[in-house]
Amino acid sequence: MGAAVKRIAAEVRARAVLLCGYSMGGFGALQLGSRTPELFDAIVMVAGHGLGTLEPSESESAYAAPQPESSRIFKDYLARHAPRLASVPKVIAVHAWRDKVSSYTDAEAIVDAIQARGGCAELVTVPDDMADSDLGRGKNRHRRGHCYYGYAFLRDSSEEVLYSRLREALPKVRLVAKPPARELRLMPARPQERGAGWADRGRGGPGEPSAVPADAEEGKARRGRWRRGTDAGSRAGWSRSRSPRRR
């Protein structure tokens, strides 16, 4: 995997190489980053975990791991991986205190171990009310504080949570939090769109401008002419006619 990353980074002339992972992907990011730390400029672990855990057996987490064996495994994991992760320019861990699937205590211990070995690591705490923000309001099942992928990576909050920190750590790299929204331009209604009918739904009503992307209107004009017709129920409809094929 490290050889493939190195080859692709050279082919595209990458200014920086970032390694990000969510949940078990966060565990994989730490694993790969510790094996080849020289390849990456930053590592981001969101809702991730290590090997073993410091959580007690009777905790509410999903581990229920036997102790003290799990703590010993986790400390051995830190002793092996933290020194190598400390050589990565920036390590960011994003975690929710309410997370019952991946331990916040373990994420905090990973960051502390990297800092203790001279590394630049940071822990970003997700607010309790955003720990299940990916589920939405109507879904009350399985609220275990482990659903904040959008909060960390995709939504407007990701700028403060993640991208501003990466931009500060990598000043020579231009980072965009998310692609710009597709621009919609109001198109004037065409004469045949002024009639009432089911085809006017979503077009702003009869005789009003239609909020349709300009490229969609232009593409429709290129593909064929549209004419108005009626179906058996006397409802206004649209059908497309193509010019006869030239022989």
Side-chain angles (χ1 to χ4, degrees):
M1 179 68 75
V5 172
K6 185 176 181 179
R7 175 177 55 81
I8 295 174
E11 289 177 357
V12 301
R13 298 179 182 179
R15 295 183 180 180
V17 180
L18 279 63
L19 179 59
C20 306
Y22 179 84
S23 192
M24 187 173 287
F27 169 76
L30 294 183
Q31 289 286 96
L32 180 58
S34 65
R35 289 178 180 272
T36 54
E38 68 280 357
L39 294 181
F40 303 105
D41 296 278
I43 296 177
V44 178
M45 178 187 71
V46 179
H49 56 86
L51 190 64
T53 181
L54 298 176
E55 292 288 339
S57 303
E58 62 276 6
S59 68
E60 297 179 359
S61 67
Y63 290 107
Q67 295 293 358
E69 292 84 355
S70 295
S71 294
R72 177 181 55 79
I73 293 173
F74 184 77
K75 292 176 181 178
D76 291 343
Y77 168 83
L78 291 182
R80 292 196 312 270
H81 295 280
R84 298 180 63 84
L85 291 171
S87 62
V88 179
K90 185 69 174 181
V91 178
I92 300 177
V94 182
H95 217 97
W97 175 259
R98 287 186 54 242
D99 198 328
K100 302 302 180 184
V101 177
S102 297
S103 170
Y104 181 91
T105 303
D106 293 349
E108 190 176 29
I110 292 172
V111 171
D112 291 343
I114 296 173
Q115 291 177 347
R117 289 161 176 81
C120 181
E122 182 179 4
L123 176 62
V124 182
T125 303
V126 177
D128 290 348
D129 58 339
M130 301 303 296
D132 285 309
S133 54
D134 289 349
L135 294 178
R137 295 182 179 179
K139 300 180 180 179
N140 295 321
R141 298 178 59 189
H142 309 298
R143 289 189 176 272
R144 311 197 67 178
H146 192 66
C147 298
Y148 42 94
Y149 180 92
Y151 174 82
F153 284 115
L154 302 178
R155 299 176 185 169
D156 294 339
S157 55
S158 61
E159 172 62 26
E160 179 182 357
V161 172
L162 182 59
Y163 295 109
S164 61
R165 290 175 166 84
L166 289 175
R167 194 176 293 109
E168 181 180 356
L170 307 172
K172 296 182 180 180
V173 181
R174 181 176 179 269
L175 296 175
V176 179
K178 59 181 180 179
R182 188 180 182 187
E183 181 180 358
L184 295 179
R185 188 167 72 243
L186 292 179
M187 302 290 294
R190 295 178 296 176
Q192 61 266 36
E193 290 182 355
R194 293 175 182 170
W198 63 271
D200 291 318
R201 296 178 183 175
R203 295 178 175 271
E208 297 180 5
S210 58
V212 179
D215 54 351
E217 292 287 346
E218 295 170 0
K220 185 189 298 183
R222 288 195 301 268
R223 290 193 298 270
R225 295 181 294 107
W226 290 74
R227 65 185 180 185
R228 186 172 180 180
T230 56
D231 56 12
S234 298
R235 296 181 302 177
W238 298 94
S239 61
R240 186 174 67 177
S241 63
R242 294 183 179 274
S243 301
R245 181 179 298 177
R246 295 182 180 179
R247 298 183 181 276

